Amino acid sequence: AVEERKSLLHEHMAMLSTSCFADLLTYKVGIAKLLTPNEVEITGENETEIVWADYIILATGSRPRKLPDIPIDEKIILTSDGIEQMDHFPESMVILGAGVIGCEFATIFSGFGKTKVHLIDKGDRILPFEDTDVVKVIERNMENNGVHIHRNSRLTRMDIVHGRVEYELEYDDGSHEIFNVEKALVSVGRVPNYEKLWENGVNIVLSKRGIEDNETQTSVSNIYAVGDITADIALVNVGELEGRYAVEKIFGEPKRKLIYENISTIMFLNPEVAGVGLNEIQAAERGIAYKVVTLDYGCIPRAIAKRNTQGFIKLLVTNDEDMKILGMRVVGNHASSAIQAVALLISMDKGIDELAECVHPHPSITEGIQECVRMLLGKSMFKPDALRGKLSCKTYTNGEYADIVF
């Protein structure tokens, strides 16, 4: 699959080179290194050349993080790169890492019904950076689909034995257990690709997370960095946003600053999870007092009509009269389609008045957002006493919740 993508990329770039962009675009294949802030050495199969440039954009991406004590061979013990080469569904698989990527692969493989999935989680719950109410839904569905979650466990060893994977866990209570599965997936994050990318004389500042940049501009003024190689959010849509912004910055002055607060995310889980802005964990860590309103999918006509009412919408706003939108999480069908209006309002630093004026199509999942706003404004058509457990509206201040009457 990787070679096919490379071949398609080469064909696409060749087509561009013979098109109207021929005078503007030169595509070269090779290993590149910055010799100076303006010189790039490109080592190809047959020759090495040096290209001079006024400006340079680094977009070398990232790769799966590997652990030194685990014998990753991309055949039996794999990363997210090697798993693309699998030609069959294994009868069993262990996934090391219960973050977003690990949980997505656990959802995928368990969903086909051919693989018994084990998920190693060093804490007491998966998705450690997500709110508890989100995690509960995903965990329940995973376990109902046969995923075995090793909670509060630490991997002490993982070996290839007779063509299979043998791994040993130590639990918080000190006990040990040995398991044997067909395949293993190591999913413990990603690392930026910046090794050997420039000579020592090119003084690009690095942090543990990647290249430090000021709105895509590195510490070397004519060198820009975009995508996973930077210390910013490692998402595809962020890489595209940064790439466009870097080009605008090189050729002029962008009309708007680069904003990360309204970046939308999606997790391909069961059910789908989408978010934008802060969640409750992040708001609490920053010491922000907020109001939080939650509406169950069982209150949304579209979800009822589709006979799929698993999920909820949660909206966070500042705990003041302005009620500026801090963030939103949606768990359930059409989650990723429901957050764009909120993402726009966050980038505009707006409150919920604008959101309240939106007329949503009926029936649609986004009507649930409108009802969340109505609860915050004290204008909800729902009665909490009649829909116990389906609605909630609270304030959070100094670590304590208090109910809001609506």
Side-chain angles (χ1 to χ4, degrees), residues 13 17 21-28 49:
M13 298 306 294
S17 296
F21 297 105
D23 295 335
L24 301 175
L25 175 66
T26 302
Y27 175 63
K28 297 181 181 292
E49 63 177 311

Side-chain angles (χ1 to χ4, degrees), residues 38 61 70 96 130 208 380 385:
N38 295 103
I70 296 180
L96 175 61
E130 277 301 324
K208 291 182 179 179
S380 176
D385 289 342

Side-chain angles (χ1 to χ4, degrees), residues 4-25:
E4 288 177 5
R5 287 203 298 273
K6 287 182 179 178
S7 177
L8 288 171
L9 177 61
H10 291 173
E11 290 178 13
H12 180 64
M13 298 306 294
M15 289 173 59
L16 286 175
S17 296
T18 57
S19 70
C20 59
F21 297 105
D23 295 335
L24 301 175
L25 175 66

Side-chain angles (χ1 to χ4, degrees), residues 249-283:
K249 199 167 182 180
I250 288 171
F251 286 94
E253 187 64 34
K255 293 181 180 179
R256 301 178 69 241
K257 289 177 64 67
L258 191 58
I259 298 171
Y260 291 96
E261 285 75 17
N262 69 325
I263 297 297
S264 304
T265 61
I266 179 172
M267 290 178 269
F268 297 98
L269 305 169
N270 179 26
E272 174 183 324
V273 179
V276 63
L278 302 180
N279 61 19
E280 290 195 72
I281 291 175
Q282 294 165 330

